[in-house]
Amino acid sequence: MKSKKFILFIMYFVLCGFFFSQNKALDYKEERHRFNQKLISNQSYEIITKRITSNDEFIGSFLGIAKTRLGKSYFIVKSSYVFNLNRSPTAENHIFIYNSKKEFVGYYYLSNINQLPQKLHNNRLYFNNEDCREKIIINLTNGIPAAINLKCNGEDDFVEFK
């Protein structure tokens, strides 16, 4: 009888340890938000890479603070989530916007890493896609545009703010 109780006792702890030690799936959106918050807090204009797993990473940088005519301030971050590093690397690219309290406001999703802006200066985002003839400058003085046009070689490419 004692051996049955002992075996049940051991099985209970083994099963509890198994269930409680299971890793929950990584929440990439939350992890990326924390990465962006760190970029804002450090306000470093350098490109920072953070390895998430052996197969994916975040790459991003703080671009600066845009101030509107109405007195609102926005933190601007460019960020890429690169996954499938071991096979065929793929990136999700965004321009993230945070308010003066460092709260998430929205983003522009960019289909190509070359579409990310190079810098923010005097409330203007400067883009320099080497594949395109046009130099694109987006003025943020009047606020965050509902859409931006990342025109390339005469072809319009509108990106909505979400």
Side-chain angles (χ1 to χ4, degrees):
M1 184 69 173
K2 283 186 180 182
S3 62
K4 282 185 180 180
K5 286 183 180 179
F6 180 74
I7 291 173
L8 288 173
F9 179 77
I10 297 296
M11 286 179 55
Y12 172 78
F13 279 103
V14 169
L15 288 173
C16 284
F18 174 78
F19 287 115
F20 289 111
S21 70
Q22 295 298 309
N23 292 334
K24 294 181 180 177
L26 186 62
D27 183 348
Y28 288 99
K29 286 184 179 182
E30 183 60 34
E31 192 70 28
R32 193 167 189 184
H33 173 67
R34 280 196 289 271
F35 176 71
N36 291 343
Q37 290 288 334
K38 190 171 184 176
L39 293 174
I40 291 169
S41 293
N42 293 342
Q43 293 192 10
S44 172
Y45 299 94
E46 296 178 25
I47 294 175
I48 306 295
T49 301
K50 180 182 179 185
R51 194 69 167 221
I52 305 303
T53 69
S54 62
N55 202 31
D56 48 15
E57 65 188 9
F58 296 131
I59 302 170
S61 69
F62 173 73
L63 291 174
I65 301 171
K67 296 183 180 178
T68 70
R69 287 189 178 140
L70 297 176
K72 291 186 177 184
S73 295
Y74 296 101
F75 293 98
I76 313 297
V77 172
K78 70 177 179 178
S79 179
S80 296
Y81 166 51
V82 184
F83 52 97
N84 290 330
L85 287 169
N86 300 328
R87 290 183 218 114
S88 176
T90 307
E92 288 182 359
N93 311 290
H94 294 83
I95 302 168
F96 287 100
I97 312 293
Y98 292 82
N99 66 18
S100 60
K101 296 177 184 176
K102 300 179 184 174
E103 298 167 331
F104 176 72
V105 175
Y107 65 89
Y108 296 100
Y109 173 79
L110 309 174
S111 58
N112 187 321
I113 201 163
N114 293 333
Q115 292 178 313
L116 287 169
Q118 299 303 307
K119 66 181 180 176
L120 174 70
H121 182 69
N122 291 333
N123 297 324
R124 289 173 174 80
L125 280 173
Y126 290 84
F127 296 77
N128 187 22
N129 186 343
E130 295 177 6
D131 297 332
C132 304
R133 293 186 303 264
E134 298 86 359
K135 299 296 180 206
I136 298 166
I137 301 170
I138 306 295
N139 190 343
L140 302 175
T141 303
N142 292 324
I144 305 301
I148 57 177
N149 187 0
L150 301 179
K151 190 175 199 171
C152 186
N153 300 327
E155 298 271 335
D156 286 330
D157 186 5
F158 288 96
V159 179
E160 290 184 26
F161 184 70
K162 298 179 182 180

Short mmCIF file of all heavy atoms in Angstrom, two decimals, residues 27-66:
data_model
loop_
_atom_site.label_atom_id
_atom_site.label_comp_id
_atom_site.label_asym_id
_atom_site.label_seq_id
_atom_site.Cartn_x
_atom_site.Cartn_y
_atom_site.Cartn_z
N ASP A 27 4.92 35.31 -27.64
CA ASP A 27 4.04 36.32 -28.19
C ASP A 27 4.91 37.35 -28.91
O ASP A 27 5.46 38.26 -28.29
CB ASP A 27 3.22 36.96 -27.07
CG ASP A 27 2.22 37.99 -27.58
OD1 ASP A 27 2.29 38.38 -28.77
OD2 ASP A 27 1.37 38.41 -26.79
N TYR A 28 5.04 37.21 -30.24
CA TYR A 28 5.95 38.06 -31.01
C TYR A 28 5.53 39.52 -31.00
O TYR A 28 6.37 40.40 -30.97
CB TYR A 28 6.09 37.54 -32.44
CG TYR A 28 6.88 36.27 -32.50
CD1 TYR A 28 6.26 35.04 -32.57
CD2 TYR A 28 8.26 36.30 -32.44
CE1 TYR A 28 6.99 33.87 -32.59
CE2 TYR A 28 9.01 35.14 -32.45
CZ TYR A 28 8.36 33.92 -32.53
OH TYR A 28 9.10 32.77 -32.54
N LYS A 29 4.22 39.77 -31.01
CA LYS A 29 3.77 41.16 -30.98
C LYS A 29 4.17 41.83 -29.67
O LYS A 29 4.65 42.95 -29.66
CB LYS A 29 2.25 41.25 -31.18
CG LYS A 29 1.82 40.98 -32.59
CD LYS A 29 0.34 41.17 -32.77
CE LYS A 29 -0.05 40.91 -34.20
NZ LYS A 29 -1.48 41.12 -34.43
N GLU A 30 3.96 41.14 -28.57
CA GLU A 30 4.34 41.70 -27.27
C GLU A 30 5.85 41.83 -27.16
O GLU A 30 6.36 42.83 -26.66
CB GLU A 30 3.79 40.82 -26.15
CG GLU A 30 4.08 41.36 -24.77
CD GLU A 30 3.50 42.74 -24.51
OE1 GLU A 30 2.42 43.06 -25.03
OE2 GLU A 30 4.13 43.52 -23.78
N GLU A 31 6.57 40.84 -27.63
CA GLU A 31 8.04 40.87 -27.60
C GLU A 31 8.56 42.03 -28.47
O GLU A 31 9.48 42.74 -28.09
CB GLU A 31 8.60 39.53 -28.08
CG GLU A 31 10.06 39.36 -27.83
CD GLU A 31 10.41 39.20 -26.36
OE1 GLU A 31 9.58 38.71 -25.58
OE2 GLU A 31 11.54 39.58 -25.99
N ARG A 32 7.95 42.23 -29.61
CA ARG A 32 8.36 43.32 -30.50
C ARG A 32 8.04 44.67 -29.87
O ARG A 32 8.81 45.62 -29.98
CB ARG A 32 7.67 43.18 -31.85
CG ARG A 32 8.28 44.07 -32.91
CD ARG A 32 7.77 43.66 -34.26
NE ARG A 32 8.47 44.35 -35.30
CZ ARG A 32 8.17 44.24 -36.58
NH1 ARG A 32 7.18 43.46 -36.94
NH2 ARG A 32 8.84 44.89 -37.48
N HIS A 33 6.90 44.76 -29.20
CA HIS A 33 6.53 45.99 -28.51
C HIS A 33 7.59 46.33 -27.45
O HIS A 33 8.03 47.47 -27.35
CB HIS A 33 5.15 45.84 -27.88
CG HIS A 33 4.74 46.97 -27.02
ND1 HIS A 33 4.49 48.24 -27.50
CD2 HIS A 33 4.58 47.05 -25.68
CE1 HIS A 33 4.18 49.03 -26.50
NE2 HIS A 33 4.22 48.33 -25.39
N ARG A 34 8.02 45.32 -26.69
CA ARG A 34 9.06 45.54 -25.68
C ARG A 34 10.38 45.98 -26.33
O ARG A 34 11.08 46.85 -25.82
CB ARG A 34 9.27 44.29 -24.84
CG ARG A 34 8.22 44.12 -23.76
CD ARG A 34 8.67 43.11 -22.71
NE ARG A 34 8.68 41.74 -23.19
CZ ARG A 34 7.65 40.93 -23.11
NH1 ARG A 34 6.51 41.34 -22.59
NH2 ARG A 34 7.74 39.70 -23.55
N PHE A 35 10.70 45.38 -27.47
CA PHE A 35 11.91 45.75 -28.22
C PHE A 35 11.82 47.22 -28.64
O PHE A 35 12.76 47.99 -28.46
CB PHE A 35 12.05 44.84 -29.44
CG PHE A 35 13.20 45.18 -30.35
CD1 PHE A 35 14.51 44.96 -29.96
CD2 PHE A 35 12.96 45.71 -31.60
CE1 PHE A 35 15.57 45.27 -30.80
CE2 PHE A 35 14.01 46.02 -32.45
CZ PHE A 35 15.32 45.80 -32.05
N ASN A 36 10.67 47.62 -29.19
CA ASN A 36 10.48 49.01 -29.62
C ASN A 36 10.55 49.97 -28.43
O ASN A 36 11.13 51.06 -28.54
CB ASN A 36 9.14 49.18 -30.34
CG ASN A 36 9.13 48.48 -31.68
OD1 ASN A 36 10.16 48.14 -32.24
ND2 ASN A 36 7.94 48.25 -32.20
N GLN A 37 9.95 49.58 -27.30
CA GLN A 37 9.99 50.41 -26.10
C GLN A 37 11.44 50.63 -25.64
O GLN A 37 11.81 51.72 -25.22
CB GLN A 37 9.19 49.77 -24.96
CG GLN A 37 7.70 49.78 -25.16
CD GLN A 37 7.11 51.17 -25.01
OE1 GLN A 37 7.64 52.02 -24.34
NE2 GLN A 37 6.00 51.39 -25.68
N LYS A 38 12.24 49.59 -25.77
CA LYS A 38 13.66 49.71 -25.39
C LYS A 38 14.38 50.66 -26.34
O LYS A 38 15.20 51.47 -25.91
CB LYS A 38 14.32 48.34 -25.39
CG LYS A 38 15.70 48.33 -24.79
CD LYS A 38 16.22 46.93 -24.61
CE LYS A 38 17.56 46.98 -23.91
NZ LYS A 38 18.08 45.66 -23.63
N LEU A 39 14.07 50.58 -27.63
CA LEU A 39 14.68 51.51 -28.60
C LEU A 39 14.31 52.95 -28.25
O LEU A 39 15.16 53.85 -28.31
CB LEU A 39 14.21 51.19 -30.02
CG LEU A 39 14.67 49.86 -30.62
CD1 LEU A 39 14.00 49.62 -31.97
CD2 LEU A 39 16.17 49.81 -30.75
N ILE A 40 13.05 53.17 -27.88
CA ILE A 40 12.60 54.52 -27.51
C ILE A 40 13.29 54.98 -26.23
O ILE A 40 13.77 56.12 -26.15
CB ILE A 40 11.07 54.55 -27.35
CG1 ILE A 40 10.39 54.37 -28.70
CG2 ILE A 40 10.61 55.86 -26.70
CD1 ILE A 40 8.90 54.12 -28.63
N SER A 41 13.35 54.12 -25.25
CA SER A 41 13.97 54.49 -23.97
C SER A 41 15.45 54.84 -24.13
O SER A 41 15.94 55.79 -23.54
CB SER A 41 13.81 53.37 -22.95
OG SER A 41 12.46 53.21 -22.62
N ASN A 42 16.15 54.05 -24.93
CA ASN A 42 17.59 54.29 -25.15
C ASN A 42 17.83 55.47 -26.09
O ASN A 42 18.89 56.07 -26.06
CB ASN A 42 18.27 53.05 -25.71
CG ASN A 42 18.30 51.91 -24.71
OD1 ASN A 42 18.12 52.11 -23.52
ND2 ASN A 42 18.50 50.71 -25.20
N GLN A 43 16.85 55.75 -26.96
CA GLN A 43 16.96 56.79 -27.97
C GLN A 43 18.30 56.74 -28.70
O GLN A 43 18.93 57.76 -28.95
CB GLN A 43 16.67 58.17 -27.39
CG GLN A 43 15.25 58.30 -26.95
CD GLN A 43 14.82 59.70 -26.63
OE1 GLN A 43 15.52 60.67 -26.90
NE2 GLN A 43 13.63 59.84 -26.07
N SER A 44 18.70 55.55 -29.03
CA SER A 44 19.92 55.33 -29.79
C SER A 44 19.55 55.22 -31.26
O SER A 44 18.64 54.49 -31.62
CB SER A 44 20.61 54.04 -29.34
OG SER A 44 21.69 53.74 -30.19
N TYR A 45 20.24 55.96 -32.09
CA TYR A 45 19.94 55.96 -33.51
C TYR A 45 20.65 54.81 -34.24
O TYR A 45 20.51 54.67 -35.44
CB TYR A 45 20.31 57.31 -34.12
CG TYR A 45 19.51 58.44 -33.51
CD1 TYR A 45 20.00 59.18 -32.44
CD2 TYR A 45 18.23 58.73 -33.96
CE1 TYR A 45 19.24 60.19 -31.87
CE2 TYR A 45 17.47 59.74 -33.40
CZ TYR A 45 18.00 60.47 -32.34
OH TYR A 45 17.23 61.46 -31.78
N GLU A 46 21.40 54.01 -33.51
CA GLU A 46 22.08 52.87 -34.10
C GLU A 46 21.08 51.76 -34.39
O GLU A 46 20.06 51.63 -33.73
CB GLU A 46 23.13 52.33 -33.13
CG GLU A 46 24.25 53.28 -32.83
CD GLU A 46 25.23 52.70 -31.82
OE1 GLU A 46 25.33 51.46 -31.72
OE2 GLU A 46 25.89 53.49 -31.15
N ILE A 47 21.42 50.93 -35.36
CA ILE A 47 20.59 49.76 -35.65
C ILE A 47 20.91 48.69 -34.61
O ILE A 47 22.07 48.34 -34.41
CB ILE A 47 20.83 49.25 -37.08
CG1 ILE A 47 20.36 50.30 -38.08
CG2 ILE A 47 20.14 47.91 -37.30
CD1 ILE A 47 20.65 49.97 -39.52
N ILE A 48 19.87 48.21 -33.95
CA ILE A 48 20.01 47.21 -32.89
C ILE A 48 19.39 45.90 -33.37
O ILE A 48 18.32 45.90 -33.98
CB ILE A 48 19.28 47.67 -31.60
CG1 ILE A 48 19.75 49.05 -31.15
CG2 ILE A 48 19.42 46.63 -30.50
CD1 ILE A 48 21.19 49.15 -30.74
N THR A 49 20.08 44.80 -33.10
CA THR A 49 19.57 43.47 -33.43
C THR A 49 19.36 42.70 -32.14
O THR A 49 20.21 42.71 -31.26
CB THR A 49 20.56 42.72 -34.34
OG1 THR A 49 20.77 43.48 -35.52
CG2 THR A 49 20.04 41.34 -34.70
N LYS A 50 18.20 42.06 -32.04
CA LYS A 50 17.91 41.22 -30.88
C LYS A 50 17.48 39.84 -31.38
O LYS A 50 16.47 39.71 -32.06
CB LYS A 50 16.80 41.82 -30.02
CG LYS A 50 16.47 40.96 -28.82
CD LYS A 50 15.35 41.53 -27.99
CE LYS A 50 15.06 40.61 -26.82
NZ LYS A 50 13.90 41.05 -26.06
N ARG A 51 18.26 38.85 -31.06
CA ARG A 51 17.96 37.48 -31.44
C ARG A 51 16.83 36.97 -30.55
O ARG A 51 16.92 37.08 -29.33
CB ARG A 51 19.21 36.64 -31.29
CG ARG A 51 19.17 35.30 -31.93
CD ARG A 51 19.16 35.44 -33.43
NE ARG A 51 19.41 34.18 -34.04
CZ ARG A 51 20.18 34.01 -35.08
NH1 ARG A 51 20.76 35.03 -35.64
NH2 ARG A 51 20.36 32.83 -35.59
N ILE A 52 15.77 36.43 -31.13
CA ILE A 52 14.64 35.92 -30.37
C ILE A 52 14.77 34.41 -30.16
O ILE A 52 14.64 33.91 -29.06
CB ILE A 52 13.30 36.24 -31.08
CG1 ILE A 52 13.19 37.73 -31.34
CG2 ILE A 52 12.12 35.74 -30.27
CD1 ILE A 52 13.29 38.60 -30.12
N THR A 53 14.99 33.70 -31.24
CA THR A 53 15.26 32.27 -31.20
C THR A 53 16.40 32.02 -32.17
O THR A 53 16.93 32.96 -32.77
CB THR A 53 14.03 31.43 -31.63
OG1 THR A 53 13.81 31.63 -33.02
CG2 THR A 53 12.78 31.80 -30.84
N SER A 54 16.75 30.78 -32.37
CA SER A 54 17.82 30.48 -33.32
C SER A 54 17.38 30.74 -34.76
O SER A 54 18.21 30.77 -35.67
CB SER A 54 18.26 29.02 -33.19
OG SER A 54 17.17 28.17 -33.50
N ASN A 55 16.09 30.99 -34.96
CA ASN A 55 15.55 31.13 -36.31
C ASN A 55 14.94 32.50 -36.60
O ASN A 55 14.46 32.73 -37.70
CB ASN A 55 14.52 30.03 -36.55
CG ASN A 55 14.30 29.75 -38.01
OD1 ASN A 55 15.20 29.89 -38.82
ND2 ASN A 55 13.10 29.35 -38.35
N ASP A 56 14.91 33.42 -35.62
CA ASP A 56 14.32 34.72 -35.89
C ASP A 56 14.92 35.81 -35.00
O ASP A 56 15.50 35.51 -33.95
CB ASP A 56 12.81 34.70 -35.78
CG ASP A 56 12.27 34.04 -34.54
OD1 ASP A 56 13.03 33.83 -33.58
OD2 ASP A 56 11.08 33.75 -34.51
N GLU A 57 14.78 37.07 -35.45
CA GLU A 57 15.34 38.20 -34.73
C GLU A 57 14.60 39.49 -35.07
O GLU A 57 13.87 39.55 -36.06
CB GLU A 57 16.83 38.37 -35.08
CG GLU A 57 17.10 38.74 -36.52
CD GLU A 57 18.57 38.72 -36.90
OE1 GLU A 57 19.41 38.26 -36.09
OE2 GLU A 57 18.88 39.16 -38.01
N PHE A 58 14.79 40.49 -34.22
CA PHE A 58 14.29 41.84 -34.47
C PHE A 58 15.47 42.72 -34.83
O PHE A 58 16.55 42.59 -34.24
CB PHE A 58 13.60 42.43 -33.24
CG PHE A 58 12.37 41.71 -32.79
CD1 PHE A 58 12.21 41.35 -31.47
CD2 PHE A 58 11.36 41.40 -33.68
CE1 PHE A 58 11.07 40.70 -31.04
CE2 PHE A 58 10.21 40.75 -33.27
CZ PHE A 58 10.07 40.40 -31.94
N ILE A 59 15.25 43.61 -35.79
CA ILE A 59 16.25 44.61 -36.16
C ILE A 59 15.51 45.94 -36.19
O ILE A 59 14.46 46.05 -36.81
CB ILE A 59 16.85 44.32 -37.55
CG1 ILE A 59 17.49 42.95 -37.59
CG2 ILE A 59 17.86 45.40 -37.93
CD1 ILE A 59 17.90 42.50 -38.99
N GLY A 60 16.06 46.94 -35.52
CA GLY A 60 15.36 48.22 -35.52
C GLY A 60 16.22 49.35 -35.03
O GLY A 60 17.33 49.15 -34.54
N SER A 61 15.67 50.54 -35.15
CA SER A 61 16.33 51.73 -34.61
C SER A 61 15.30 52.82 -34.32
O SER A 61 14.25 52.88 -34.95
CB SER A 61 17.43 52.24 -35.53
OG SER A 61 16.90 52.78 -36.70
N PHE A 62 15.65 53.64 -33.37
CA PHE A 62 14.87 54.81 -33.01
C PHE A 62 15.21 55.89 -34.04
O PHE A 62 16.37 56.18 -34.28
CB PHE A 62 15.27 55.25 -31.60
CG PHE A 62 14.66 56.54 -31.16
CD1 PHE A 62 13.31 56.61 -30.83
CD2 PHE A 62 15.43 57.68 -31.05
CE1 PHE A 62 12.76 57.80 -30.41
CE2 PHE A 62 14.88 58.87 -30.62
CZ PHE A 62 13.54 58.93 -30.30
N LEU A 63 14.18 56.46 -34.68
CA LEU A 63 14.42 57.49 -35.68
C LEU A 63 14.35 58.90 -35.09
O LEU A 63 14.98 59.81 -35.60
CB LEU A 63 13.42 57.36 -36.83
CG LEU A 63 13.60 56.13 -37.70
CD1 LEU A 63 12.48 56.02 -38.71
CD2 LEU A 63 14.94 56.17 -38.41
N GLY A 64 13.56 59.08 -34.04
CA GLY A 64 13.47 60.39 -33.41
C GLY A 64 12.07 60.71 -32.95
O GLY A 64 11.18 59.85 -32.93
N ILE A 65 11.87 61.98 -32.60
CA ILE A 65 10.59 62.47 -32.11
C ILE A 65 10.06 63.49 -33.11
O ILE A 65 10.75 64.45 -33.44
CB ILE A 65 10.74 63.13 -30.73
CG1 ILE A 65 11.30 62.12 -29.72
CG2 ILE A 65 9.39 63.68 -30.24
CD1 ILE A 65 11.69 62.72 -28.39
N ALA A 66 8.86 63.25 -33.60
CA ALA A 66 8.19 64.20 -34.49
C ALA A 66 7.24 65.05 -33.65
O ALA A 66 6.50 64.52 -32.82
CB ALA A 66 7.42 63.46 -35.58
#
